[in-house]
Amino acid sequence: MDIRALGYFVAQTDAPHEWQHYAEQVLGMMTAPTDDGGFYIKMDERPYRMLVQPGADKRYFASGWELTGAAAYNEAKQTLLDKGIAFEEAGAALCAQRRVQSILIVNDPAGNRHELYWGHVSDCQPFISPQGVPAFVTGEMGLGHTVLPAPNFDETFAFLTDVLGFALSDLFNFKPAPEADPIRIYFMHCGNARHHSLAICEFPAPSGCVHAMVEVENMTEVGRAHDRQQQHQVQLSATLGQHLNDKMTSFYMKTPSGFDLEYGFGGLQVDNWEEHCAFEFSRVSLWGHDFSVGEK
C-alpha cells in the first residue's frame, strides 16, 4: 500500500467540551462543532486533523491514513482482498463526517482501528491559532505520529509492514529493570520524510494509544505550550527532553481522552529512505524526558 501520512486521528470522550478547552487553550488549535456534539480540531489549512466524538468512555478511537487517490485506494482494497484481510467500506455518512471521498476500515491484530482514505475535503480557510502559534509542521508529512499498543507484537508488526506497507525506521528494546525481559518498541515510516508516522509498543494501553505527537516550528512554541500546560493544570506525563532516535525536543501531557500527547520541535526528516539504515538505540533520550512524573 502507498500510505502517505497520518492524516487525522479520532478520539472519543464522554465530555467533548474538555477537548475544546484543551485544544484551544493548551494546544493552541482551532475548534468547530460537529453535528453529533463533538469537535473538529484544526491545526493547519485543512478543516481538521483531530476529530473528537462523543462516547461512553475516554479513548483513542482510530488513525486515519491518507492515500493519494482513487487508484491507490483501489489498490489498497485489492491488497486486503488478496491477503484475505477482513475490512469494511465506510458508508456515506461516515465519509461525510470524516470529510473524505472513501474509507476502508481495518483492524490490525492488536485491535487498533485504521481508516485508509483518499480525497480530503478542503475549504481553504487559514489556520489562526487562538494562542498565537504561527504554524504546526504538517503538510505532506501529515499531522504528526501516533504510537499504538501491540501486545501480540510479531503478528501486529507483520500486518503493518506486509499488509499496510509501513517500513522500519529504528527500534528500542526497553528494559524496565536490568533483569527484565526487553519490551519492544518499533518505529515505522510511510511515504513522507517524517522519521516515524507510526510506532507500536509491546504492551497494552487501556486508552487505545500510548501517545500522539504534534510538532511546531521552533523551541519557543514548545516552551509557550509548556507554560500553558502548567497554567491550565494539565497533567504532565514527561518532562522536557530530546529523543535520541528522531531528535525531537518535546514534553508529554495527558489528553482529555486519557492517552498522552507529545508537543515537540525539531523532528528528524529523512530525504531518502533507501539510504536510511535502521538501528537499535539503547536509551530513549539524549537528555530529559523523565516519564516518572506521569506516575506521581
Side-chain angles (χ1 to χ4, degrees), residues 57-234:
D57 53 356
K58 301 176 187 290
R59 68 184 311 274
Y60 184 97
F61 184 78
S63 307
W65 300 106
E66 187 163 66
L67 301 165
T68 52
Y73 178 89
N74 290 332
E75 289 172 4
K77 181 178 178 181
Q78 191 61 50
T79 296
L80 296 174
L81 289 169
D82 291 345
K83 292 181 178 292
I85 305 297
F87 68 93
E88 175 188 349
E89 286 199 81
L94 185 65
C95 290
Q97 185 199 55
R98 302 292 199 261
R99 298 186 177 181
V100 299
Q101 307 305 306
S102 306
I103 305 173
L104 297 167
I105 303 167
V106 61
N107 289 342
D108 67 29
N112 301 304
R113 175 176 166 130
H114 303 276
E115 299 182 355
L116 314 175
Y117 74 91
W118 76 276
H120 69 275
V121 176
S122 177
D123 56 9
C124 298
Q125 294 302 301
F127 169 69
I128 303 173
S129 169
Q131 300 301 324
V133 179
F136 289 88
V137 179
T138 57
E140 294 181 353
M141 296 194 299
L143 83 83
H145 70 235
T146 187
V147 181
L148 303 176
N152 49 344
F153 194 88
D154 292 325
E155 188 182 1
T156 303
F157 180 67
F159 174 87
L160 295 171
T161 54
D162 298 344
V163 179
L164 297 193
F166 288 92
L168 185 68
S169 300
D170 51 40
L171 59 99
F172 178 59
N173 288 313
F174 171 62
K175 298 194 71 171
E179 68 282 359
D181 292 332
I183 298 172
R184 292 173 289 179
I185 305 174
Y186 282 15
F187 300 80
M188 292 169 280
H189 59 271
C190 54
N192 68 74
R194 198 184 293 280
H195 173 270
H196 61 281
S197 295
L198 173 64
I200 54 172
C201 297
E202 196 175 12
F203 51 77
S207 66
C209 176
V210 180
H211 77 261
M213 184 280 297
V214 298
E215 185 176 1
V216 287
E217 293 182 325
N218 57 67
M219 190 60 210
T220 298
E221 292 306 320
V222 175
R224 293 182 70 237
H226 192 273
D227 284 351
R228 296 193 298 269
Q229 168 264 320
Q230 294 179 316
Q231 177 186 353
H232 292 279
Q233 299 180 332
V234 175

Side-chain angles (χ1 to χ4, degrees), residues 253-274:
M253 56 182 159
K254 285 292 181 190
T255 68
S257 289
F259 58 91
D260 288 344
L261 187 134
E262 180 183 8
Y263 203 107
F265 154 71
L268 178 65
Q269 297 180 24
V270 178
D271 294 331
N272 187 345
W273 282 112
E274 292 183 358

